[in-house]
Amino acid sequence: MHRETWNSAGVSAVDSIVTGEDHTIEREERRRAGWAGLVAAGSAIGVSELIAGLVDSVPSLLAGIGGAVIDRSPSFVKDIAITLLGAADKPALAIGTVVISLVVGWFAGIGARSRRWIGLAVFAAFGLIGWLASVG
């Protein structure tokens, strides 16, 4: 007895074995989920910085994280950063923080595709870490 199964895109298991379409669909879905996570992370950073710029009592999360990283870094790491980057050491740290956040957002989006709590947990943790760094 032959039993044919279909995926959410309407491609049968027999067709996907022959054409490889199932792998292409899976890759595209993962890519879209990654982009969604990256955009969500970028939007969260942008909104938090906008609010910090508009409301005096709201601290900048990026500045808080940067300050926490600088305070906890060994002095030789600070010296190397200042030697290599000069006055651009703090902007480089902010850019690095944003890039790391976007990469984490990408992977959180992919993880949230199958388990929604992953995306929520990652963004809640990042928000908490940023807030703690900015007020501490």
Side-chain angles (χ1 to χ4, degrees):
M1 175 179 227
H2 172 62
R3 195 175 99 199
E4 193 169 6
T5 57
W6 298 81
N7 68 11
S8 62
V11 177
S12 75
V14 173
D15 289 343
S16 66
I17 290 170
V18 173
T19 63
E21 287 181 36
D22 204 29
H23 294 293
T24 303
I25 292 168
E26 174 71 18
R27 259 187 309 222
E28 185 59 30
E29 288 176 358
R30 287 174 54 93
R31 188 176 299 121
R32 286 181 183 171
W35 280 112
L38 184 139
V39 168
S43 299
I45 292 168
V47 168
S48 72
E49 290 302 303
L50 177 65
I51 292 171
L54 295 174
V55 181
D56 289 336
S57 63
V58 176
S60 166
L61 300 182
L62 283 178
I65 291 170
V69 168
I70 291 169
D71 292 345
R72 289 168 178 77
S73 295
S75 60
F76 76 90
V77 172
K78 294 177 202 175
D79 294 339
I80 291 171
I82 291 169
T83 301
L84 293 174
L85 301 170
D89 62 336
K90 289 184 182 176
L93 180 59
I95 291 168
T97 302
V98 170
V99 168
I100 290 169
S101 298
L102 294 176
V103 169
V104 170
W106 174 276
F107 287 108
I110 291 172
R113 187 174 150 260
S114 59
R115 293 179 180 89
R116 186 172 301 271
W117 66 267
I118 291 174
L120 297 172
V122 168
F123 281 100
F126 261 68
L128 181 62
I129 290 167
W131 180 74
L132 288 172
S134 66
V135 297

